Amino acid sequence: PHRASRTCKIFRDFITCPPRPKGSNTWGPDSFIHIKTNIKSRSDIMYRFLVEGYNYGTNSIIHSDICGYSHRKWAKVGKGAMEEAGWPEGWDNDVSTDYMTGATVDQYYSADGYVVISLKSRSFFCTGFSVSAWLVVHGFG
């Protein structure tokens, strides 16, 4: 009934953020959530992450996805990585999409060499979301 034509893995996790501590502070600067993956930099892994949930702090839906390729010769991931490798300008401008306003998604390599997915919003007060990951080793085919 269910078949996969190639070896692949799909992962799904869920996270909730605790309530913001009580205080007299008004809105501050943007808040961030950094999700460090186990994808090593320059490991030739292609990936897509889908983030879905609800951000009570901004009363909005979280629905964003981001894809990338930790190419062995590229110094970074995300927008501009392919241009640095000689691809046409703007070739990788669509590697991330925010379908709703609950959070914006971005990616980078951590200082110790792993892919990190970052979410940004005005608040993550009482936020819950799931992350689904699709991973492909480029050398499979």
Side-chain angles (χ1 to χ4, degrees):
H2 299 290
R3 296 181 186 180
S5 61
R6 300 267 184 193
T7 304
C8 61
K9 290 195 179 224
I10 298 175
F11 298 95
R12 191 170 190 100
D13 287 313
F14 188 80
I15 186 170
T16 59
C17 298
R20 184 175 61 180
K22 291 184 179 182
S24 60
N25 296 347
T26 58
W27 286 100
D30 289 330
S31 298
F32 291 86
I33 295 174
H34 301 273
I35 305 165
K36 186 176 178 181
T37 72
N38 62 352
I39 301 171
K40 292 183 180 182
S41 63
R42 302 178 185 221
S43 60
D44 280 340
I45 302 291
M46 296 175 149
Y47 55 86
R48 176 181 177 239
F49 290 95
L50 174 64
V51 183
E52 299 173 294
Y54 179 67
N55 186 343
Y56 180 80
T58 60
N59 190 30
S60 53
I61 294 169
I62 297 172
H63 186 190
S64 301
D65 65 2
I66 194 159
C67 63
Y69 181 22
S70 60
H71 193 284
R72 72 182 79 132
K73 294 183 181 180
W74 298 352
K76 67 180 192 176
V77 290
K79 295 177 184 172
M82 293 179 79
E83 290 175 25
E84 288 182 7
W87 291 78
E89 183 178 343
W91 187 262
D92 53 3
N93 281 349
D94 295 328
V95 295
S96 64
T97 303
D98 303 305
Y99 302 101
M100 301 302 287
T101 59
T104 58
V105 67
D106 203 358
Q107 62 186 318
Y108 62 92
Y109 281 144
S110 64
D112 61 348
Y114 289 88
V115 173
V116 177
I117 306 302
S118 78
L119 302 174
K120 180 175 91 170
S121 181
R122 290 282 289 155
S123 170
F124 283 113
F125 170 68
C126 288
T127 295
F129 60 90
S130 68
V131 179
S132 300
W134 290 261
L135 309 172
V136 176
V137 176
H138 190 63
F140 278 168

